[in-house]
Amino acid sequence: MTDPAPVRALPGAAGPPGRGRPPGRASERTARFLMVAALPASARAVPRLRRLARAVVRGHRLSDAAEEALTVIVSELGTNAVLHSGSPDLSVMFAVDDTSLTVGVRDRGRWRQRPGPRCESADMDAAFGRGLALVDAYSVDTSVLRSAEGTVVRAVIAL
């Protein structure tokens, strides 16, 4: 069965380090690999993000621990974008260098607050509400940037 909404690699997103970067801007570290993909922000996006994450890890022969961390992180960030942003799509970025694996998830929506109070208590047994805590637990650095254009969450996994 074919998927009617294929993953689209964004132009200029893959290739040698530096491609698509404005002249004169140097990154703090040199990426060996960079991939960006865009998907519709639907429930189907989350398993597709996990498949992409596994392909990145296996393609670079990274550890099982890196695979677990990346799949959990993209699952949580993708789910947040689908459930809370109202964005029609989301994009994911993977960058690998000698010491780290960085993933970023971007949406073009605005954070939608919960319409009512949380029904369950905010503890580790709750069904929801632990996404960013899990991302923090698996990463060495996490950042969230909210703007009028959407939200970008970036997580760095140590290799």
Side-chain angles (χ1 to χ4, degrees), residues 35 46-64 66-72 74-75 94 101:
M35 183 187 87
V46 178
R48 296 176 79 198
L49 288 172
R50 283 193 292 267
R51 286 193 298 273
L52 279 171
R54 282 192 288 277
V56 167
V57 169
R58 292 173 183 170
H60 287 84
R61 300 175 192 227
L62 301 177
S63 69
D64 290 344
E67 182 175 343
E68 177 183 346
L70 187 59
T71 55
V72 168
V74 299
S75 294
F94 301 99
L101 168 58

Side-chain angles (χ1 to χ4, degrees), residues 134-147:
L134 283 170
V135 172
D136 284 339
Y138 277 101
S139 64
V140 294
D141 185 37
T142 306
S143 62
V144 179
L145 176 62
R146 291 187 181 105
S147 72

Side-chain angles (χ1 to χ4, degrees), residues 8-121:
R8 294 177 283 122
L10 299 180
R19 179 183 288 176
R21 190 180 303 143
R25 282 191 71 200
S27 64
E28 292 179 0
R29 48 176 91 110
T30 303
R32 293 186 333 226
F33 174 79
L34 175 65
M35 183 187 87
V36 179
L39 304 123
S42 69
R44 296 178 76 178
V46 178
R48 296 176 79 198
L49 288 172
R50 283 193 292 267
R51 286 193 298 273
L52 279 171
R54 282 192 288 277
V56 167
V57 169
R58 292 173 183 170
H60 287 84
R61 300 175 192 227
L62 301 177
S63 69
D64 290 344
E67 182 175 343
E68 177 183 346
L70 187 59
T71 55
V72 168
I73 289 170
V74 299
S75 294
E76 295 301 329
L77 297 182
T79 299
N80 282 351
V82 169
L83 292 179
H84 301 295
S85 74
S87 178
D89 55 23
L90 61 91
S91 59
V92 62
M93 177 275 304
F94 301 99
V96 181
D97 66 23
D98 293 333
T99 61
S100 64
L101 168 58
T102 302
V103 60
V105 173
R106 178 184 192 116
D107 65 59
R108 295 184 301 130
R110 297 240 171 118
W111 181 261
R112 296 183 296 185
Q113 291 294 335
R114 185 182 296 270
R118 196 179 275 280
C119 294
E120 66 277 336
S121 61

